[in-house]
Amino acid sequence: TQTWGSVSDGGSPNSVNRLTVDLSSDGTKALATFSYSGSGAGGVSFIAGTVAGSASTWGARVNVFQGMFSDEVSVAMTDDGTRFAATTNVVFPPYGTDSEVQVKSGRLSGTAISVGNAAVMSTSGYQPSLTMRPDGQLAAIVWHESGAITSAVGIVPAAPTITSVVPGDSFALVTVSPGDATPTTGYLVTGSNGNTCTITSPATSCGVSAANGTSVTFTAVAINDVGVSPPSAPSAAVLI
């Protein structure tokens, strides 16, 4: 016996070419992906959803890839439904030239989607396919190029190390170092008070706001185009 809920309108534009849906391992989170074309434009859109029994709630459509034609879409989501990686073949006008294999990673929070910058794997490839380890720490991509099959492996950085915390007036200057040689785009530092700051590579420090007279510890994660590292060990507490 099957029980199906009511149909939800995701607001798809123009002509939809490919449609896929990924679910978290517990079946409570969903990510719908579709490519579209028409009216001289095209691309790939994502819609995040939450699932409860046969009921589903969907968020706003997010255009993740944009080009004249973007049809070969491959998506992988982590088991916990909080992160994803996606690749597609974007063809820019005129048709058949300036073709790029692009990869993006992103995060899911309920029905909200945040997406990172595109990493261009090839400027002449096509039909890319992507797979990712369930914990999101490793991804592999394969595509056709010049009559051959080309591949690449992306690795999430290791957990960084907080090397120093210097208290200031209503803030602390936190310095981090990488956990391994994997390239990073930056770091996110979080204080035990809930405040955060971001570091864009190659910088290694940022200031986290904190009330004077409070004691705060800090953790950091490293970020790249594949995903987010495990958190660092907490720093020692400092008095602001």
Side-chain angles (χ1 to χ4, degrees):
T1 301
Q2 299 177 348
T3 301
W4 296 91
S6 58
V7 176
S8 299
D9 181 7
S12 59
N14 303 317
S15 174
V16 174
N17 301 314
R18 300 285 181 89
L19 176 63
T20 62
V21 179
D22 288 275
L23 284 174
S24 59
S25 60
D26 63 5
T28 63
K29 305 176 185 70
L31 181 65
T33 306
F34 60 88
S35 59
Y36 63 90
S37 61
S39 302
V44 178
S45 292
F46 286 4
I47 304 176
T50 57
V51 182
S54 61
S56 61
T57 302
W58 298 91
R61 177 171 57 87
V62 177
N63 292 328
V64 177
F65 298 100
Q66 291 180 296
M68 283 295 294
F69 185 72
S70 186
D71 193 29
E72 301 295 337
V73 187
S74 182
V75 183
M77 186 167 69
T78 56
D79 268 0
D80 62 7
T82 61
R83 288 176 288 144
F84 67 88
T87 183
T88 192
N89 178 199
V90 178
V91 180
F92 301 98
Y95 287 105
T97 63
D98 299 325
S99 172
E100 288 185 352
V101 172
Q102 295 184 4
V103 182
K104 288 187 178 183
S105 62
R107 300 186 71 84
L108 304 170
S109 178
T111 59
I113 301 174
S114 59
V115 185
N117 295 327
V120 178
M121 308 303 295
S122 168
T123 57
S124 59
Y126 58 97
Q127 292 182 326
S129 181
L130 177 146
T131 187
M132 185 166 63
R133 211 168 69 179
D135 62 5
Q137 300 300 301
L138 184 71
I141 305 159
V142 62
W143 66 92
H144 292 279
E145 185 168 7
S146 301
I149 295 177
T150 305
S151 63
V153 174
I155 302 174
V156 168
T161 300
I162 295 179
T163 55
S164 69
V165 179
V166 180
D169 184 8
S170 299
F171 80 99
L173 183 67
V174 182
T175 300
V176 302
S177 63
D180 62 11
T182 304
T184 64
T185 56
Y187 302 87
L188 175 68
V189 179
T190 302
S192 56
N193 59 359
N195 294 336
T196 64
C197 68
T198 57
I199 302 170
T200 301
S201 298
T204 57
S205 301
C206 66
V208 181
S209 61
N212 288 332
T214 60
S215 180
V216 187
T217 62
F218 300 90
T219 59
V221 294
I223 303 167
N224 68 4
D225 290 323
V226 180
V228 179
S229 77
S232 68
S235 70
V238 296
L239 182 65
I240 306 302

